[in-house]
Amino acid sequence: MTAPAEPTVQRMVEIGFDRLRAHLLNQAELIFIEALSRQPDHAAARRLIGVARCKMGRFQEGLADLRAATILAPGLEVAWNDLAVALRDTGDATGATEAHARAASIRAQDPAAGPLSALTALAFATDRAIHRFELGDYPYVATIRHGGGRPSHPKLTAILEGGRGGYEGLIDEMAALGDHFGAIPMGGDGTEAHPYWLNAWCPPLDGMAITAMLKRHKPRLFVEVGSGVSTKFARQAIRRLGLTTRIVSIDPEPRNEVDKLCDQVIRKPLEHCDPAMFDVLQAGDIVFLDSSHRAFQGSDVTVFFLEILPRLKPGVIVQVHDIYLPDDYISGHVDRMWNEQYLLATALLFGEAFEVLFPAWWAGRDPALRARLTETVCIGPLAGLDPYGASFWMHKRG
């Protein structure tokens, strides 16, 4: 049997670009390292690894890569654009202004190009995304209004800020699980029954949050709507921490083989289930939602928010996955037309039914919380692991 051909350098860069836009920064960096080992003068790979490293807070390395990219491709606007963003974010106003001017001068050579964004509003090129589409007779343009180099939504930010002390407490509980986390391998291929950190579905901070929440609340039931790597994190935590939690998996077709890890499996879509099944959940039990992320008429998300959330008892813990509040969806998700988080945002803005327990995306981006994570959790065997997550944890108030 012939072995599959190795990807070309250009294909590797394309894959790394997709990982970067999905904020899988560790994976993106590894791909770019391999691409550059084969072709050290590849300007795009050098620029993109610089962006990835800056996003991980390793600005000295990232700036060196971005400067090298401008030498490799001095006439490329995007190289100067990204260097200007990194210099601005590190406080080098003079250097940022010079790089921005170079990018603007290159753009000015194209009569069809509009003006370059002001330096204060400039974002890494990988953070920009526009998706044009039509539904029925109406055209839409999906774009990023909050986050991605732009200010986060101010009122949502204020709501999340109000729970900072609780987030710090959960991070400290994660730090106490260092031995547990250190035993989890970095890589894998998805066929194992155990989790691994550098997967594409349940990023590191989400796996850590699952474990810490299970340890804190010791739920009787962990009900998943959408199963896979999260199930593996949950089962490993239950086993190693000596919990009696039962896992119920609702998913028509999990992306990983998890049936043997669950106590009950329901292999059909949530919208085909009786909402009354959630009435058995008690305070401290967990509902982990990771479904289609699209609220359409009769879809799983619509059923969850309109028919299941209102009937949950006070104290039931709810996790909604792939939530980037107080920002919009990240650039790699814009063309997927996800809209689930806007239902959640509306609930938070116009009511107090839920208390936010841990917004993983915001915690991983907030400077103080990120520092707490990198200095107390991502250490030892986990040193260098980017504390990226997109799980949003809350519970119903009494």
Side-chain angles (χ1 to χ4, degrees), residues 293-296 301 329 337-344:
H293 311 301
R294 300 181 181 95
F296 297 129
V301 170
Y329 288 106
M337 292 190 291
W338 290 352
N339 56 10
E340 175 181 42
Q341 75 168 22
Y342 304 114
L343 287 178
L344 176 58

Side-chain angles (χ1 to χ4, degrees), residues 353-367:
F354 298 97
E355 178 185 358
V356 180
L357 301 178
F358 192 71
W361 169 256
W362 190 70
R365 308 276 69 76
D366 176 81

Side-chain angles (χ1 to χ4, degrees), residues 64-372:
D65 289 317
L66 291 170
R67 288 192 174 99
T70 63
I71 295 172
L72 291 168
L76 191 63
E77 175 194 326
V78 71
W80 294 101
N81 176 108
D82 287 349
L83 178 60
V85 172
L87 290 168
R88 178 200 66 198
D89 291 350
T90 54
D92 185 348
T94 300
T97 299
E98 292 174 354
H100 182 264
R102 289 290 297 271
S105 67
I106 295 170
R107 173 169 288 214
Q109 298 171 18
D110 181 0
L116 186 67
S117 297
L119 179 58
T120 55
L122 207 62
F124 286 123
T126 52
D127 286 337
R128 297 195 290 259
I130 295 177
H131 178 58
R132 303 178 188 275
F133 62 100
E134 290 189 9
L135 285 177
D137 60 351
Y138 198 87
Y140 293 87
V141 180
T143 187
I144 298 172
R145 294 169 62 92
H146 302 289
R150 302 155 189 82
S152 299
H153 190 285
K155 291 187 177 179
L156 287 170
T157 300
I159 290 171
L160 299 187
E161 181 67 48
R164 177 178 293 273
Y167 316 151
E168 292 173 345
L170 190 71
I171 292 172
D172 292 345
E173 292 175 36
M174 294 177 189
L177 288 161
D179 290 342
H180 177 101
F181 293 149
I184 297 174
M186 279 290 169
D189 60 14
T191 62
E192 312 92 338
H194 60 75
Y196 59 96
W197 294 118
L198 299 185
N199 68 82
W201 301 282
C202 186
L205 190 52
D206 295 341
M208 294 171 182
I210 290 170
T211 305
M213 287 291 185
L214 284 167
K215 182 180 180 183
R216 174 192 285 185
H217 296 284
K218 299 176 175 57
R220 185 176 57 90
L221 290 173
F222 182 87
V223 180
E224 281 193 314
V225 181
S227 298
V229 179
S230 59
T231 320
K232 297 178 180 181
F233 274 110
R235 175 52 67 190
Q236 181 154 304
I238 291 167
R239 184 177 65 252
R240 290 188 176 179
L241 299 175
L243 306 178
T244 59
T245 306
R246 298 180 69 251
I247 297 178
V248 180
S249 168
I250 304 171
D251 191 327
E253 191 174 353
R255 293 182 177 177
N256 281 229
E257 177 51 58
V258 297
D259 283 11
K260 293 180 181 179
L261 304 179
C262 303
D263 298 283
Q264 180 182 356
V265 295
I266 302 172
R267 293 289 165 252
K268 59 182 179 180
L270 177 67
E271 62 268 31
H272 295 167
C273 298
D274 183 355
M277 68 176 291
F278 290 86
D279 292 347
V280 301
L281 296 172
Q282 305 295 325
D285 288 337
I286 295 175
V287 179
F288 192 98
L289 178 70
D290 187 6
S291 56
S292 72
H293 311 301
R294 300 181 181 95
F296 297 129
Q297 188 168 335
S299 72
D300 51 2
V301 170
T302 302
V303 169
F304 184 80
F305 275 85
L306 298 188
E307 300 181 30
I308 294 172
L309 266 185
R311 70 191 300 151
L312 294 179
K313 296 182 178 70
V316 171
I317 298 160
V318 178
Q319 184 282 158
V320 187
H321 205 247
D322 291 297
I323 299 297
Y324 297 89
L325 300 178
D327 299 332
D328 278 304
Y329 288 106
I330 56 178
S331 60
H333 296 342
V334 169
D335 62 355
R336 298 181 181 186
M337 292 190 291
W338 290 352
N339 56 10
E340 175 181 42
Q341 75 168 22
Y342 304 114
L343 287 178
L344 176 58
T346 302
L348 296 173
L349 287 168
F350 292 96
E352 297 184 355
F354 298 97
E355 178 185 358
V356 180
L357 301 178
F358 192 71
W361 169 256
W362 190 70
R365 308 276 69 76
D366 176 81
L369 295 174
R370 181 180 177 86
R372 200 181 194 100

